[in-house]
């Protein structure tokens, strides 16, 4: 009897632990729907999805890099690089849209490759490497745009298409985002190629012994991160019909949102754990917090406070779980009970 | 991985060779940043005749003073293997703004309350990270958000001024003069920076606490097994770091004559840069405060030099980032060749 | 378990779609809807015994009768000032082809909004008075200046009897886009937007315009293209202010010497206006003034101090003046560096009106700053909105009055707003 009960309680906490981001998402969504004025209508929900889609692209890369046990601080600069390149190539160099987007993605991938090579061949901690490349990339972006922004100069065609609601709640840009999330989710969960990322992050040595080229895997993760960040920036710029070189240099930056969402989604910075889909839901959760608080008419200070509180609660929850597990590790409850009974 | 083993093997085969080059590598890994510094200074002499002057060096060391004070504390966190304190900017802002709003109690109580407020952030960080092992970067980042929200809410997004808050009394002026007090023509912040770094160097290398911290930084599990009180030591490291951040915050606030939530923005990454350039590895347990001073000076000289050459703001960013990675590579490469680090 | 969760989320999503699916089109605000609402809201009492038309008339009369001259900001200056007009020269054929030192190179930035550009799809003024109208102001971020700005906007809105809500995206373009959507969704009578970026503003205003909500651009000057979609722009004449400041400085240094520029953070119009404005003014009128260097150290006092110390060492006596984009943190850095080097002879001008800047003017350490009342900056677009609601003629551009504050008249502008 007792045994069953124990298992049950373990089951619930296990369930909560594993799906906490979905529970958090559902709770916040329900609260917002119930209380926030002007929140629950198609127009606003679409706007949340549109707002989230930029961060989601950063979070995809951040998740994969973190699963490998690394960190990528350069995603925000690479996002800006993708944005200014796609508009700059189109407006200043007269490329077609397709070529502009492809070159922007390639540039992001190149930055990722550089990150990956410095981390794996130069053996420098990814925090430092990407901090350096973040500075370099942001310098390059400013240099390319001369410190100003670039626009498509009245060419709204593709931008309007991106922002068109094709199926209810989903604009084209959001659809592309969701497809990207599903693709990477499937790759990570269902393919050998994807599972290997978890092995690299979980235990590098074991992964090596299992025949995985760990260095190549880490470099691949950075390339994915770079190209996704550039694609996200490019799509945002297209739907905005202009590109800004300095997004995120002030205030809460997309970088911080991406890191926070990845962690809230349950990806561990130590590596080997997490998933793209959970990060996606986490970004939506953060967006709902921001949006609902704006609906309530609260100031920015409440938004930043709430964002920090959610992040802190998640980190603390995770830490406490490990702390408790650590504490009872190796304790054999049956033996203790036998001693108590006597 | 195989390569690494090979490399280590070949190194042990050539012991005689290793001894000689080992010494050089050892010095490079410890004080490599000073080599870069000398190269930069020599380059500077050729670039501009005004560069090599007492005045110019005074400017450089002065410009780095606030950053150096912050680094003297944050280095303890890096040394203990906990990367960096991302809540440093808000700790700085908090201590400054609290000091100013308490300035009517007199300058000394106000400073004590202000530093106390900053240290409080460190205590919370230290308990959560030390005892419950929360991820240090993410937890301090979350703290940064939370405290930032509180400050904005309490002061309703406004900035406050020492002279207004003190009602024109002498305390307000004394507060703004903290960063404008000179000793032999050098601001006292420079002396405080050097003092803190020297004390830090002493604590890290000569005391029991420093040695325990080194073990914690190298391997936290081993440290636990040897009976070190890990969570208390980490708590102390965070308290030291927040104290230094609070002190730096008071200097920044006093210099800017205004208390606001944005004081200290950007100092987190700058401090990490200086500490890491100075030879402390992010994996912990390695590095020294003399190197950190070198890191602070290198950042100063580099920006000084680039202004002399007349490089634009954007190009400066690119050069800074590249040199940052280069210096860290030199450090870690020499450590690896010594077989001392596998990261 | 996992499947159950997916199903739950899917259900929530589907419910969302179903419940709101019937309303998927953008909630266009019909041109006449706000007029009725406002009229009803303001004149519930009189609506019973008067016809709707008369009620609206009386709301307009009441609105026009409001006395706004007595409204003052926290510095005691009148908030809703008489606004200035600007002489607009002929647009050169290709401004980009001119050298950067030529003032007309910057024509499209400086005179954005004045050109004879056709307005597109601007709703007609309801001409039924400002009282009871709902206005949403989206600012660009958190800064003490913008706190004062919001304050001024609120005071002015109260004076005109309008209902005001303020949103802040904290410098994030992606968040601002969302707030634009949220503002449209709230169906206000007017949206006032401080764009984060001049070019990105085009799409934002176009979106508001598409939704049929009248809108006004404020503070940050958007690109000329964006002016098609707005009733007008209200804000400080950054270029004009800096040309005036430049003239004051040039006179002070006798029309010759070396000038270094501490720039605004890159990305916005002040980055250009506060450097190329004075620079091109010097180039056009004072050929003996040379440019030594221009750098953007950000808004940190200690970073600026190091930069200026470097300049003093590098240029020595060649350095006669410094132009700064900010009169608080940057000014502190500059003045401390000058003091330390004993170079009080170097003249400094800055953009400003902050407390720190005015203190420096009073003590003579700064030569001149621009007058830019943050509260008036917030009140001016509200005035423009009220004029429009009242059916008055609205110019496409409302400038704040230009003035250079020097030691002689700084006392008139105290206490500072931020």
């Amino acid at each position: 009897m007792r045994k069953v009960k124990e298992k049950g309680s373990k089951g619930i906490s296990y369930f909560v632990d594993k799906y906490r981001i979905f529970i958090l998402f559902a709770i916040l969504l329900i609260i917002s729907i119930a209380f926030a004025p002007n929140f629950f209508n198609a127009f606003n929900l679409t706007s949340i999805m549109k707002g989230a889609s930029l961060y989601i692209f950063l979070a995809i890369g951040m998740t994969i890099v973190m699963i490998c046990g690394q960190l990528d601080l350069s995603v925000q600069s690479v996002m800006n690089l993708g944005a200014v390149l796609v508009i700059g190539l189109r407006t200043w160099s007269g490329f077609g849209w397709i070529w502009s987007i492809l070159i922007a993605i390639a540039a992001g991938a190149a930055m990722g490759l550089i990150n990956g090579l410095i981390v794996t061949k130069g053996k420098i901690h990814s925090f430092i490497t990407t901090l350096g490349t973040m500075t370099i990339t942001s310098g390059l972006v400013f240099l390319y745009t001369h410190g100003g922004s670039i626009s498509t100069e009245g060419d709204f065609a593709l931008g309007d298409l991106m922002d068109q609601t094709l199926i209810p709640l989903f604009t084209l840009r959001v659809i592309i985002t969701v497809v990207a999330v599903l693709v990477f989710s499937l790759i990570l969960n269902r393919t050998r190629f994807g599972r290997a990322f978890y092995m690299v992050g979980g235990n590098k040595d074991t992964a090596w012994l299992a025949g995985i080229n760990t260095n190549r895997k880490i470099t691949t993760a950075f390339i994915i991160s770079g190209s996704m960040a550039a694609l996200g920036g490019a799509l945002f710029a297209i739907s905005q019909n202009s590109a800004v070189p300095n997004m995120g240099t002030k205030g809460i930056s997309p970088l911080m949102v991406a890191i926070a969402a990845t962690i809230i989604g349950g990806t561990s910075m130590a590596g080997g754990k997490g998933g793209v889909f959970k990060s996606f839901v986490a970004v939506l959760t953060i967006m709902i917090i921001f949006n609902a608080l704006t609906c309530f008419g609260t100031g920015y200070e409440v938004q930043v406070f709430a964002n920090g509180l959610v992040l802190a609660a998640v980190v603390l929850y995770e830490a406490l779980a490990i702390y408790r597990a650590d504490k009872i590790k190796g304790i054999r409850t049956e033996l203790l009970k036998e001693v108590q009974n006597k | 991985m195989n390569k690494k083993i090979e490399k280590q093997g070949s190194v042990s085969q050539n012991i005689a060779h290793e001894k000689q080059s080992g010494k050089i590598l050892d010095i490079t890994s410890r004080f490599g940043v000073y080599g870069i510094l000398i190269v930069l200074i020599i380059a500077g002499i050729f670039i501009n005749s005004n560069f090599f002057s007492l005045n110019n060096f005074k400017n450089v060391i002065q410009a780095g003073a606030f950053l150096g004070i912050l680094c003297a504390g944050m280095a303890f966190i890096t040394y203990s293997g906990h990367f960096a304190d991302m809540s440093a900017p808000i700790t700085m802002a908090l201590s400054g703004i609290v000091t100013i709003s308490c300035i009517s109690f007199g300058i000394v109580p106000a400073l004590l309350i202000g530093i106390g407020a900053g240290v409080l952030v460190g205590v919370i960080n230290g308990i959560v990270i030390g005892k419950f092992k929360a991820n240090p970067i993410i937890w301090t980042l979350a703290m940064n958000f939370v405290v930032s929200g509180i400050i904005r809410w309490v002061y309703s997004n406004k900035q406050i001024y020492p002279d207004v808050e003190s009602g024109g009394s002498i305390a307000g002026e004394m507060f703004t003069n903290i960063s404008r007090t000179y000793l032999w023509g050098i601001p006292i912040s420079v002396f405080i920076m050097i003092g803190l770094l020297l004390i830090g160097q002493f604590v890290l290398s000569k005391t029991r606490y420093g040695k325990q911290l080194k073990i914690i930084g190298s391997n936290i599990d081993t440290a636990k097994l040897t009976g070190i009180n890990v969570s208390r030591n980490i708590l102390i490291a965070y308290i030291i770091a927040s104290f230094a951040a609070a002190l730096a915050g008071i200097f920044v606030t006093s210099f800017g004559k205004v208390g606001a939530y944005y004081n200290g923005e950007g100092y987190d990454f700058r401090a990490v840069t200086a500490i890491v350039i100075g030879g402390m590895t992010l994996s912990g347990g390695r590095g020294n405060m003399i190197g950190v001073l070198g890191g602070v000076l290198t950042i100063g000289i580099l920006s000084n030099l680039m202004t002399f050459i007349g490089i634009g703001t954007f190009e400066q960013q690119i050069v800074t980032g590249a040199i940052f990675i280069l210096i860290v590579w030199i450090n870690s490469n020499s450590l690896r060749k010594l077989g001392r680090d596998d990261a | 378990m996992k499947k159950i969760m997916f199903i739950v989320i899917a259900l929530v999503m589907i419910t969302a779609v179903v419940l709101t699916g019937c309303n998927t089109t953008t909630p266009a605000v019909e041109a006449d809807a706000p007029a009725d609402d406002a009229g009803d809201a303001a004149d519930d009492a009189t609506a019973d015994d008067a016809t709707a038309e008369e009620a609206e008339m009386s709301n307009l009369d009441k609105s026009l009768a409001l006395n706004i001259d007595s409204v003052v900001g926290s510095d005691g200056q009148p908030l809703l000032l008489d606004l200035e007009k600007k002489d607009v020269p002929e647009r050169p054929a290709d401004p980009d082809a001119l050298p950067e030192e030529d003032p007309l190179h910057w024509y499209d930035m400086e005179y954005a909004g004045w050109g004879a550009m056709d307005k597109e799809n601007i709703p007609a003024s309801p001409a039924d008075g400002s009282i009871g109208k709902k206005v949403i102001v989206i600012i660009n971020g958190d800064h003490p200046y913008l706190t004062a700005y919001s304050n001024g906007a609120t005071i002015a809105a109260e004076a005109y009897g309008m209902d005001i809500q303020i949103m802040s995206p904290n410098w994030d373009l992606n968040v601002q886009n969302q707030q634009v959507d949220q503002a449209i969704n709230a169906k206000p009578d007017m949206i006032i937007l401080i764009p984060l970026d001049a070019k990105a503003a085009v799409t934002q205003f176009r979106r508001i315009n598409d939704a049929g909500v009248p809108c006004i651009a404020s503070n940050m000057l958007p690109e000329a293209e964006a002016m098609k979609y707005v009733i007008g722009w209200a804000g400080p004449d950054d270029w004009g202010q800096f040309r005036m400041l430049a003239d004051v400085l040039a006179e002070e240094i006798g029309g010759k010497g070396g000038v270094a520029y501490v720039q605004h953070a890159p990305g916005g119009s002040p980055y250009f206006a506060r450097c190329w404005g004075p620079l091109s003014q010097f180039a056009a009128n004072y050929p003996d003034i040379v440019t030594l260097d221009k750098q953007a150290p950000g808004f940190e006092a200690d970073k600026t101090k190091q930069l200026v110390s470097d300049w003093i060492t590098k240029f020595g006596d060649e350095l006669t003046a410094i132009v700064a984009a900010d009169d608080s943190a940057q000014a502190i850095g500059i003045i401390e560096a000058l003091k330390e080097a004993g170079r009080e002879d170097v003249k400094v001008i800055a953009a400003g009106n902050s407390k720190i800047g005015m203190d420096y003017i009073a003590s003579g350490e700064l030569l001149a700053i621009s007058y830019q009342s943050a509260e008036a900056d917030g009140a001016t677009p509200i005035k423009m909105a009220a004029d429009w609601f009242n059916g008055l003629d609205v110019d496409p551009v409302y400038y704040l009055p230009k003035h250079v504050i020097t030691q002689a008249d700084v006392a008139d502008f105290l206490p500072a707003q931020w």
Side-chain angles (χ1 to χ4, degrees):
Chain A
M1 220 22 218
R2 189 184 288 153
K3 222 175 181 182
V4 172
K5 200 183 166 192
E6 262 181 29
K7 236 187 178 173
S9 69
K10 196 189 170 191
I12 284 178
S13 74
Y14 171 80
F15 176 78
V16 169
D17 188 49
K18 189 152 190 206
Y19 301 111
R20 60 159 195 247
I21 180 59
F22 300 109
I23 297 169
L24 194 67
F25 172 76
I27 292 173
L28 282 167
L29 187 63
I30 290 166
I31 293 177
S32 306
I33 291 172
F35 299 109
N38 284 329
F39 177 84
F40 194 61
N41 53 56
F43 188 71
N44 194 44
L45 294 180
T46 312
S47 128
I48 291 178
M49 302 281 242
K50 280 196 311 197
S53 68
L54 173 67
Y55 303 131
I56 287 166
F57 277 106
L58 303 192
I60 291 175
M62 189 67 80
T63 308
I64 296 175
V65 169
M66 269 200 207
I67 285 173
C68 289
Q70 312 287 333
L71 191 65
D72 190 352
L73 297 175
S74 68
V75 282
Q76 179 178 301
S77 312
V78 174
M79 168 194 94
N80 285 334
L81 182 71
V84 299
L85 272 183
V86 79
I87 304 292
L89 289 173
R90 167 81 181 168
T91 306
W92 290 343
S93 317
F95 282 86
W97 277 120
I98 301 213
W99 278 109
S100 308
I101 295 172
L102 287 179
I103 294 173
I105 295 175
M111 291 314 293
L113 179 67
I114 293 171
N115 280 333
L117 288 180
I118 297 176
V119 169
T120 54
K121 303 284 173 203
K123 301 214 182 305
I124 299 178
H125 198 288
S126 57
F127 187 93
I128 295 167
T129 307
T130 51
L131 184 59
T133 48
M134 170 177 92
T135 324
I136 295 174
T137 315
S138 117
L140 286 174
V141 170
F142 277 130
L143 215 55
Y144 181 66
T145 63
H146 312 289
S149 45
I150 322 168
S151 78
T152 53
E153 295 180 351
D155 178 8
F156 297 129
L158 190 60
D160 285 350
L161 185 67
M162 281 284 169
D163 260 352
Q164 209 151 55
T165 316
L166 294 183
I167 27 179
L169 291 185
F170 293 89
T171 64
L172 179 59
R173 187 158 70 98
V174 174
I175 292 172
I176 296 175
T177 314
V178 173
V179 167
V181 168
L182 292 179
V183 165
F184 278 102
S185 220
L186 283 178
I187 289 178
L188 280 184
N189 285 322
R190 296 289 152 89
T191 64
R192 267 179 71 117
F193 172 81
R195 296 306 305 173
F197 287 112
Y198 288 93
M199 287 191 73
V200 172
N203 191 328
K204 220 173 161 183
D205 294 348
T206 324
W208 173 270
L209 293 175
I212 296 169
N213 187 341
T214 49
N215 281 354
R216 187 177 293 170
K217 218 71 214 171
I218 292 173
T219 312
T220 312
F222 276 108
I223 292 176
I224 293 175
S225 171
S227 44
M228 280 301 111
L231 176 61
L235 290 178
F236 178 75
I238 292 171
S239 75
Q240 189 68 33
N241 301 306
S242 59
V244 185
N246 64 338
M247 254 188 88
T249 45
K250 249 169 144 189
I252 283 198
S253 52
L255 170 68
M256 293 302 169
V257 174
I259 292 181
T262 309
I263 296 291
I264 292 174
T267 304
S268 150
M269 243 174 114
K273 222 181 112 200
V276 169
F277 191 76
K278 285 180 174 175
S279 301
F280 164 70
V281 178
V283 172
L284 286 181
T285 311
I286 294 179
M287 284 292 103
I288 288 175
I289 297 176
F290 274 34
N291 189 294
L293 286 172
T294 307
C295 286
F296 282 124
T298 57
Y300 174 73
E301 66 271 15
V302 183
Q303 298 175 14
V304 67
F305 180 75
N307 188 27
L309 216 55
V310 171
L311 186 57
V314 167
V315 178
L316 199 59
Y317 174 81
E318 198 163 77
L320 282 177
I322 295 172
Y323 177 71
R324 270 208 309 270
D326 256 8
K327 234 180 170 176
I328 56 166
K329 196 158 109 189
I331 295 177
R332 290 161 70 182
T333 42
E334 303 91 353
L335 281 178
L336 271 178
K337 266 167 208 155
E338 273 173 36
V339 173
Q340 278 169 352
N341 288 343
K342 266 175 192 172
Chain B
M1 187 141 314
N2 280 343
K3 247 187 209 165
K4 202 183 296 159
I5 296 164
E6 243 171 59
K7 219 177 243 170
Q8 277 172 1
S10 70
V11 166
S12 55
Q13 272 163 19
N14 302 319
I15 292 175
H17 176 71
E18 198 248 354
K19 255 189 179 167
Q20 261 197 341
S21 68
K23 211 163 198 178
I24 300 167
L25 285 170
D26 186 48
I27 293 171
T28 330
S29 74
R30 275 172 204 268
F31 304 109
V33 65
Y34 286 96
I36 306 279
L37 204 56
I38 290 167
V39 171
L40 288 177
I41 290 173
I42 291 172
I45 294 170
F46 284 106
I47 287 161
N48 192 302
S49 55
N50 291 333
F51 177 83
F52 197 73
S53 65
L54 201 59
N55 236 339
N56 192 38
F57 290 127
K58 218 175 80 184
N59 288 340
V60 170
I61 196 165
Q62 242 171 280
F66 302 158
L67 182 62
I69 293 173
L70 175 64
C71 288
M74 208 198 273
F76 277 85
I77 292 177
T78 314
Y79 195 70
S80 73
H82 287 79
F83 301 102
D85 181 3
M86 304 297 280
S87 64
I90 211 67
T91 312
M92 292 168 76
L94 180 72
S95 68
I97 204 165
V98 168
T99 306
I100 291 183
S101 55
C102 295
I103 200 98
S104 51
F105 303 150
I107 182 81
V108 177
L111 284 177
L112 289 178
I113 298 172
I115 292 178
V119 170
L120 191 66
V121 177
V123 171
I124 299 172
N125 284 341
I127 290 174
V128 174
I129 294 166
K131 190 152 179 67
F132 301 122
K133 316 263 172 316
N135 182 304
I137 293 186
I138 306 299
W139 173 262
T140 49
L141 188 65
M143 272 306 268
N144 199 44
F145 287 152
V146 170
V147 180
S148 162
I150 295 175
I151 296 181
R152 285 158 195 264
W153 179 64
V154 169
Y155 295 95
S156 45
N157 284 330
K158 284 189 180 133
Q159 49 190 18
I160 56 175
Y161 301 92
D163 48 345
V164 177
E165 293 294 317
S166 66
S169 77
I170 188 85
E173 204 176 311
M174 279 167 80
F175 179 74
T176 47
N177 280 339
I178 290 174
S179 58
R180 291 174 175 75
T181 311
Y182 293 79
L183 216 61
W184 304 299
I186 297 169
I188 53 166
S189 52
V190 173
F191 294 103
I192 291 185
M193 167 184 76
I194 292 174
L196 283 181
L197 285 169
L198 288 179
I199 295 171
Q201 173 70 11
F202 175 78
V203 171
L204 284 188
S205 60
K206 299 282 181 224
T207 64
R208 212 178 122 90
Y209 173 70
K211 281 172 185 147
Q212 292 187 344
L213 208 60
K214 189 180 175 88
I215 299 173
I216 294 173
S218 336
N219 191 329
I220 199 160
D221 294 326
T222 318
K224 234 185 273 172
L225 292 177
T226 53
I228 295 172
N229 189 339
V230 174
S231 35
R232 198 191 60 194
N233 282 344
I234 293 174
L235 172 63
I236 294 173
Y238 272 92
I239 291 177
I240 294 172
S242 60
F243 172 77
L247 211 58
I250 283 175
F251 273 105
V252 168
T253 311
S254 150
F255 192 66
K257 292 182 179 175
V258 53
Y261 52 83
Y262 57 78
N263 278 342
E265 242 169 48
Y267 269 94
D268 41 1
F269 283 136
R270 267 155 74 190
V272 180
T273 312
I275 290 172
V276 171
I277 286 184
M280 279 209 176
T281 57
L282 277 189
S283 43
R286 219 169 269 295
N288 58 65
M289 290 290 183
I290 309 297
V292 173
L293 177 66
V296 173
L297 291 180
T298 306
I299 292 179
I301 287 273
L302 190 61
S303 126
N304 177 268
L305 195 62
M306 288 191 291
T307 312
F308 274 100
I309 304 174
I311 298 183
T313 313
F314 309 145
E315 290 91 336
Q316 285 200 11
Q317 283 189 352
I318 298 173
V319 176
T320 314
I323 288 191
F324 172 53
I325 293 178
L326 180 73
I327 294 178
V328 176
W329 182 78
I330 291 173
N331 278 341
S332 64
N333 194 43
S334 45
L335 273 179
R336 203 167 39 251
K337 282 197 175 143
L338 283 168
R340 282 193 191 156
D341 241 329
D342 55 336
Chain C
M1 281 302 187
K2 205 170 182 180
K3 274 176 191 157
I4 296 174
M5 281 316 297
F6 274 120
I7 293 168
V8 168
I9 288 177
L11 277 178
V12 172
M13 288 274 190
I14 291 166
T15 344
V17 177
V18 170
L19 283 180
T20 55
C22 42
N23 188 22
T24 42
T25 49
T26 45
V29 178
E30 300 88 305
D32 55 342
D36 291 346
D37 290 352
D40 292 349
D43 287 57
D44 266 349
T46 51
D48 289 339
D49 46 25
T51 65
E53 201 176 315
E54 275 175 328
E56 276 174 23
M57 281 301 291
S58 70
N59 189 38
L60 178 59
D61 288 341
K62 268 195 242 166
S63 303
L64 285 172
L66 288 171
N67 179 13
I68 48 122
D69 290 339
S70 58
V71 179
V72 291
S74 60
D75 56 353
Q77 298 286 319
L79 205 51
L80 300 158
L81 307 130
D82 290 329
L83 304 162
E84 290 187 11
K85 300 209 174 180
K86 185 166 172 168
D87 295 330
V88 183
E90 188 93 352
R91 184 178 188 272
D94 183 11
D96 285 343
L98 297 167
E100 288 182 325
E101 283 75 19
D102 191 319
L104 290 176
H105 174 88
W106 306 97
Y107 184 94
D108 285 343
M109 280 197 193
E110 182 167 2
Y111 301 104
W114 281 117
M117 183 160 299
D118 294 329
K119 299 275 181 187
E120 250 178 46
N121 185 30
I122 301 283
S125 163
D128 60 353
S130 63
I131 295 173
K133 291 284 191 287
K134 183 177 170 194
V135 177
I136 293 182
V137 181
I138 304 172
I139 60 173
N140 48 357
D142 280 16
H143 188 272
Y145 178 88
L146 292 159
T147 309
Y149 172 101
S150 311
N151 193 21
T154 312
I155 296 174
E158 271 167 23
Y160 281 113
M162 294 193 241
D163 188 19
I164 185 171
Q165 187 192 344
I166 293 167
M167 296 181 180
S168 162
N170 201 40
W171 313 109
D172 190 334
L173 184 60
N174 190 29
V175 177
Q176 192 175 49
N177 280 341
Q178 260 197 83
Q179 292 186 337
V180 165
D181 281 353
Q182 285 187 282
I184 294 171
N185 193 26
K187 304 187 180 67
D189 298 302
M190 173 78 74
I191 293 175
I192 294 171
L193 172 69
I194 305 183
L196 267 170
D197 178 85
K199 288 182 175 157
V202 179
T203 305
Q204 294 175 327
F205 286 121
R206 199 163 154 262
R207 215 173 145 64
I208 303 174
N209 187 286
D210 272 353
V213 181
C215 60
I216 290 175
S218 171
N219 181 280
M220 288 286 240
L221 197 58
E223 216 185 31
E225 171 88 20
M227 295 293 187
K228 268 202 252 179
Y229 307 108
V230 298
I231 293 167
W233 173 81
D237 180 12
D238 230 6
W239 290 90
Q241 294 267 38
F242 262 87
R243 294 199 192 290
M244 281 167 70
L245 276 174
D247 286 339
V248 171
L249 179 66
E251 234 162 77
E252 180 76 21
I253 59 176
K256 62 178 195 301
V259 180
Y261 298 84
V262 182
Q263 290 169 289
H264 198 270
S269 61
Y271 174 74
F272 297 99
R274 296 179 185 180
C275 170
W276 291 103
L279 205 158
S280 57
Q281 185 78 356
F282 291 143
N285 301 329
Y286 309 94
D288 292 337
I289 292 181
V290 291
T291 304
L292 295 177
D293 198 2
K294 33 186 192 304
Q295 294 276 354
F299 300 107
E300 281 167 70
D302 50 338
K303 265 188 166 176
T304 314
K305 185 181 165 192
Q306 193 194 356
L307 174 67
V308 176
S309 297
D310 293 349
W311 277 343
I312 293 169
T313 318
K314 182 181 178 188
F315 299 118
D317 290 337
E318 282 175 61
L319 182 69
T320 35
I322 294 174
V323 177
D326 161 51
D327 72 343
S328 41
Q330 288 188 346
I332 286 177
I334 294 168
I335 282 162
E336 293 293 329
L338 294 178
K339 253 193 213 164
E340 219 170 80
R343 287 296 306 274
E344 277 94 345
D345 58 301
V346 175
K347 301 292 174 205
V348 187
I349 55 170
N353 225 359
S354 76
K355 179 186 177 299
I356 292 167
M358 295 219 268
D359 287 351
Y360 274 139
I361 291 283
S363 64
E365 285 155 305
L366 272 178
L367 174 68
I369 54 174
S370 55
Y371 169 61
Q372 185 180 326
S373 162
E375 288 175 6
D377 192 9
T380 312
I382 299 284
K383 178 183 162 66
M384 187 187 253
D387 285 353
W388 188 77
F389 286 135
N390 289 337
L392 303 177
D393 277 343
V394 177
D395 271 336
V397 175
Y398 277 29
Y399 284 126
L400 292 179
K402 290 195 284 283
H403 183 73
V404 171
I405 301 178
T406 56
Q407 205 171 4
D409 62 354
V410 66
D412 300 342
F413 298 94
L414 293 168
Q417 294 172 341
W418 59 284

